[in-house]
Amino acid sequence: MIRTIESTPYTDQKPGTSGLRKKVRVFQQPNYAENFIQSVFDAIADKDGATLVIGGDGRFLNREVIQVAIRIAAANGFGRVLVGRGGLLSTPAASHLIRKRSALGGLVLSASHNPGGPDEDFGIKYNVANGGPAPEKVTDAIHARTLTIDRWLTVEGGDIDLDTLGEVTVGDMTVEIVDPVADYAALMETLFDFAAIRAAGLTMAFDAMSAITGPYATEILENRLGFAPGTVRNGTPLPDFGGHHPDPNLVHAHALYETMMGPDAPDFGAASDGDGDRNLIIGRGRFVTPSDSLAMLAANAHLAPGYRDGLKGIARSMPTSAAADRVAAKLGIPAFETPTGWKFFGNLLDAGMATICGEESAGTGSDHVREKDGLWAVLLWLNILAATGKSVDAIARDHWATYGRNYYARHDYEGVESERADALMADLRGRLAMLPGTAIGDLTIETADDFAYHDPTDGSVSRNQGVRILFAGGSRVVFRLSGTGTSGATLRVYLERYEAARIDEDTGAMLADIVAAADEVAGIVRHTGRTEPDVVT
Ligand code: G16
């Protein structure tokens, strides 16, 4: 029997860069998760008898919200819900399942790389039928509904067993508990030459960061590709990620970095994040920035069976370095520049205009799903290493020798008071027209604008996506506020300098004058009171 529960709106349920992310305690307020899930269902059509995928990264609150979501889905007319065993599904595996089973969409429960636990973060994201994050017109409709919602629907009944494969009935709806790994692993076998990787005899360290990729990496890397037991570290998903940030960068995956720079480093090192869509790539003695990784993967993708016929196009988010554009130019294929947020790649992938996409925020992926995919990037790297017989370092050096090098870094100022961060951006935006021609040290500003994206597939326009300051000679600094944080504001400053021939310099030294110019042009110290970034990646 369907029950109607009266409720009142919360005013803070606007989805950010990637769904609704808040502190666990916020989600634990009465009706909070229920309101948002019901708003999702109120905002979408064709639910009757449709299939819905539900899964999450296993963080604190995952199981509880899944049980609630199943009952709300049953009351809203869905015919079937697919749930990963244990409530687990990596974000790319959820995307694949939506596509494979022709689901109407999916609820992906994660706050990605943010920490988990009772005092940490939780999130809910809705993905549409192509497997990708809901586009802005859908998230806008969901948000509008959260502001007027006055009830949510549920069915009688208790929690179901999430840990046993098979089917159970909730209301009139079937719930199917599926193996979270099997379909995804099978997809990877179609894209990459597993036999060649196995035969290459490479050694590897993979840090699953006590998050969702543990079971996937253990099955694919150790069981199917024959990497030694223990290759996958921190392979058991924990509700609090062992108390760490499951963020695969040089700060939070520092132990892996130390291993890879040490005397006994294996050939290849990698890590993924809370929900399995990000990746960190480190060869023996060689860290590869996400922007470079995108370019190198695109340049070599034809070595993997899934991409043997070449790429249709390459897409990157605006703050990502232009290294991939150079590869696209050489390949004679289009390069696209989108706003930050994987959702902006979906239309290009659906239209067959791009095959590989990537972001500076450690995300790379292809048209095999509609999310970025951490293990996919790892496997493509392994396939390239196996096919070429070269090291990561050699591939990187060869790449820079061919294309030149985009020195790149991102400086994050976290937990800045929102008013101060907003003031910095408003101040900067107000001065954009006056900036061209301004000299700062040896740099001269050539152009300054606020990035707006015109989607070539549907004509939609997304404005105010980040301030770009371009210097004469091709160096660049970009300023934007993160859309994924849960407390205060995070100012991201993206720094880039292109060198055609000087490919072996220190990144910090190469970017020093741009760092100084960034502060001068935006008044970072003046506005935020911070003299140093919290995280440099
Ligand atoms: C999400 C989005 C990415 C975006 C990243 C950082 O990743 O899916 O497209 O690049 O956030 O966004 P921001 O700079 O606004 O914090 P994830 O891995 O957190 O889902």
Side-chain angles (χ1 to χ4, degrees):
M1 206 188 75
I2 295 173
R3 288 177 57 207
T4 302
I5 313 292
E6 284 183 19
S7 188
T8 50
Y10 285 93
T11 54
D12 63 347
Q13 295 197 321
K14 184 174 169 51
T17 306
S18 189
L20 184 68
R21 290 187 191 165
K22 299 283 176 192
K23 291 289 172 204
V24 163
R25 305 249 183 244
V26 173
F27 270 102
Q28 285 173 325
Q29 297 174 92
N31 300 328
Y32 194 89
E34 292 86 346
N35 270 13
F36 188 73
I37 294 166
Q38 182 65 54
S39 296
V40 170
F41 294 159
D42 285 344
I44 58 174
D46 304 325
K47 296 179 291 286
D48 256 356
T51 298
L52 180 77
V53 169
I54 304 180
D57 62 10
R59 68 179 57 229
F60 189 87
L61 218 59
N62 192 51
R63 283 173 177 267
E64 291 82 348
V65 173
I66 287 178
Q67 298 284 2
V68 166
I70 288 171
R71 291 192 286 270
I72 300 178
N76 277 272
F78 283 95
R80 178 174 289 264
V81 162
L82 309 174
V83 185
R85 184 180 46 217
L88 299 178
L89 276 176
S90 77
T91 290
S95 181
H96 179 51
L97 200 55
I98 292 168
R99 295 164 67 78
K100 182 164 190 265
R101 299 290 299 269
S102 303
L104 179 67
L107 292 171
V108 183
L109 311 182
S110 172
S112 187
H113 51 290
N114 295 4
D119 296 315
E120 300 295 354
D121 293 356
F122 190 74
I124 304 179
K125 180 171 70 158
Y126 182 67
N127 282 25
V128 294
N130 75 352
E136 277 188 331
K137 62 176 186 301
V138 178
T139 55
D140 286 349
I142 294 168
H143 178 225
R145 181 60 185 142
T146 66
L147 297 174
T148 60
I149 193 162
D150 56 4
R151 60 90 183 94
W152 52 276
L153 307 178
T154 188
V155 293
E156 306 281 354
D159 288 355
I160 63 162
D161 175 7
L162 296 175
D163 297 303
T164 306
L165 297 180
E167 295 188 355
V168 293
T169 302
V170 174
D172 294 332
M173 186 182 81
T174 302
V175 180
E176 185 181 337
I177 307 294
V178 302
D179 181 327
V181 176
D183 288 331
Y184 176 83
L187 175 66
M188 293 300 115
E189 293 225 36
T190 68
L191 298 174
F192 303 113
D193 189 344
F194 274 40
I197 297 172
R198 215 179 293 117
L202 296 161
T203 54
M204 172 173 185
F206 180 86
D207 190 345
M209 305 194 85
S210 305
I212 191 71
T213 44
Y216 295 85
T218 303
E219 172 61 19
I220 294 172
L221 299 175
E222 296 188 8
N223 298 349
R224 300 197 187 194
L225 288 170
F227 284 97
T231 293
V232 177
R233 304 167 178 199
N234 303 313
T236 303
L238 301 174
D240 67 349
F241 309 116
H244 300 295
H245 281 241
D247 191 354
N249 61 28
L250 297 183
V251 176
H252 297 298
H254 196 70
L256 178 73
Y257 180 78
E258 292 294 321
T259 301
M260 295 309 299
M261 297 300 144
D264 303 319
D267 298 310
F268 188 66
S272 189
D273 69 330
D275 61 330
D277 57 3
R278 296 186 175 208
N279 69 87
L280 169 70
I281 301 296
I282 315 178
R284 181 188 296 128
R286 171 63 68 190
F287 162 64
V288 183
T289 69
S291 294
D292 272 348
S293 180
L294 169 66
M296 293 168 194
L297 291 178
N300 294 290
H302 60 279
L303 298 170
Y307 307 93
R308 196 157 279 152
D309 296 338
L311 309 178
K312 294 172 185 144
I314 305 172
R316 65 167 172 86
S317 66
M318 180 274 283
T320 304
S321 97
D325 301 13
R326 297 176 186 280
V327 176
K330 184 144 189 267
L331 293 173
I333 57 175
F336 298 95
E337 188 177 31
T338 61
T340 293
W342 202 264
K343 60 191 173 200
F344 291 102
F345 294 134
N347 283 352
L348 297 171
L349 294 167
D350 284 350
M353 297 167 78
T355 306
I356 285 192
C357 309
E359 297 188 276
E360 51 66 38
S361 55
T364 359
S366 86
D367 57 1
H368 69 290
V369 290
R370 293 295 180 273
E371 289 277 6
K372 55 190 190 275
D373 188 343
L375 270 172
W376 171 91
V378 169
L379 292 169
L380 182 48
W381 265 104
L382 287 172
N383 200 144
I384 292 165
L385 297 181
T388 59
K390 289 183 190 168
S391 67
V392 172
D393 184 52
I395 286 172
R397 284 171 186 281
D398 287 356
H399 188 94
W400 295 329
T402 306
Y403 297 95
R405 182 169 176 184
N406 291 69
Y407 290 92
Y408 188 87
R410 186 178 93 187
H411 289 189
D412 289 340
Y413 299 80
E414 296 178 342
V416 178
E417 266 175 63
S418 293
E419 295 73 31
R420 298 180 90 169
D422 289 343
L424 180 149
M425 293 302 292
D427 180 16
L428 191 54
R429 287 189 163 111
R431 285 183 293 114
L432 285 178
M434 283 125 57
L435 289 177
T438 307
I440 305 176
D442 291 339
L443 295 166
T444 304
I445 297 175
E446 205 166 67
T447 62
D449 69 0
D450 197 347
F451 180 59
Y453 177 58
H454 298 256
D455 187 316
T457 68
D458 65 6
S460 60
V461 182
S462 303
R463 298 187 194 282
N464 304 321
Q465 297 295 324
V467 169
R468 304 188 286 191
I469 312 278
L470 286 166
F471 300 102
S475 295
R476 180 179 87 149
V477 56
V478 173
F479 301 87
R480 60 179 283 282
L481 300 183
S482 161
T484 57
T486 56
S487 51
T490 295
L491 171 68
R492 301 209 196 282
V493 183
Y494 311 83
L495 308 140
E496 179 177 357
R497 167 175 178 165
Y498 177 69
E499 288 287 335
R502 295 173 66 198
I503 61 171
D504 216 2
E505 306 295 326
D506 175 69
T507 298
M510 293 301 274
L511 296 177
D513 57 343
I514 304 170
V515 172
D519 181 50
E520 189 162 334
V521 78
I524 299 172
V525 179
R526 177 166 48 86
H527 278 290
T528 67
R530 308 283 179 83
T531 51
E532 295 288 333
D534 298 279
V535 178
V536 176
T537 49

